[in-house]
Amino acid sequence: MKLVPSGSQTVGPFFTIGLGHRCAAQPVATTPITVCGKVVDGNGNGVGDATLEIWQADPQGHYASDPANASGIATGFARIAPDELGQFTFTTCRPGPVPFDENTQQAPHLVVLVFARGLLRHLITRMYFPGEPGNPTDPVLQSLHFERRDTLIAQSTAASADTLEWNIVLQGENETVFFAW
């Protein structure tokens, strides 16, 4: 059998091989937070062949590349492969606020890249934490129309105070806000 590469205009296919080691909780001295959700298309169907990349700061607001990062967070990075229904779960720590410019802090958030079928380029979004005091003044959230901000803020679940739910809607009604970079 000869393997033929897919066309360069197509993203994927994505495989779960090699992703497992990236999904473990990062070793930090803070309460772990579990995020669960679903990646759905415009019809509300789960996108099981998506891949999520998560980038985040440590609890003190330092990224892994920052020399001031002494928290023990290994990379601030993870790759997550949703199941065949588009459902995902990962465990991480709550990041700290990070600078936006010399005078402004961004509220704690995760940067999320979405790779999925039909996308020629990955999508970039953010997940913010519910009830975070910095959310009302976060410059990125403030740049969005009020009704659209909720697509970026996870919801607390009844199951546990340390479990959040956040769904990624690729298009249509309640589409998650995506950013052009």
Side-chain angles (χ1 to χ4, degrees):
M1 176 179 174
K2 183 178 178 185
L3 297 177
V4 179
S6 58
S8 62
Q9 73 279 8
T10 304
V11 175
F14 298 106
F15 303 99
T16 59
I17 299 169
L19 291 178
H21 73 285
R22 295 285 193 186
C23 298
Q26 303 292 350
V28 293
T30 177
T31 304
I33 295 173
T34 300
V35 178
C36 58
K38 190 172 185 178
V39 180
V40 298
D41 64 17
N43 295 322
N45 300 318
V47 180
D49 61 350
T51 297
L52 305 178
E53 267 189 17
I54 311 297
W55 294 87
Q56 73 174 86
D58 70 3
Q60 288 73 43
H62 303 290
Y63 286 97
S65 59
D66 186 339
N69 180 350
S71 68
I73 191 167
T75 62
F77 170 83
R79 277 201 181 124
I80 292 87
D83 68 14
E84 62 278 354
L85 300 175
Q87 298 172 338
F88 62 87
T89 300
F90 62 92
T91 302
T92 189
C93 64
R94 182 183 292 264
V98 296
F100 181 75
D101 59 26
E102 295 174 2
N103 302 316
T104 310
Q105 291 283 329
Q106 298 177 68
H109 64 275
L110 307 178
V111 176
V112 180
L113 281 66
V114 182
F115 300 86
R117 61 180 142 91
L119 298 177
L120 299 181
R121 296 187 63 187
H122 60 270
L123 301 174
I124 302 170
T125 190
R126 289 180 169 201
M127 188 206 88
Y128 287 86
F129 295 85
E132 181 61 45
N135 286 352
T137 58
D138 181 89
V140 174
L141 281 175
Q142 294 308 304
S143 72
L144 303 174
H145 195 273
F146 182 76
E147 287 84 27
R148 303 283 291 134
R149 294 177 194 164
D150 284 345
T151 68
L152 300 184
I153 301 173
Q155 301 299 311
S156 297
T157 66
S160 167
D162 298 325
T163 301
L164 302 175
E165 182 178 351
W166 182 62
N167 296 313
I168 300 170
V169 181
L170 298 179
Q171 67 184 66
E173 191 174 342
N174 299 317
E175 177 180 328
T176 301
V177 171
F178 299 105
F179 302 98
W181 297 65

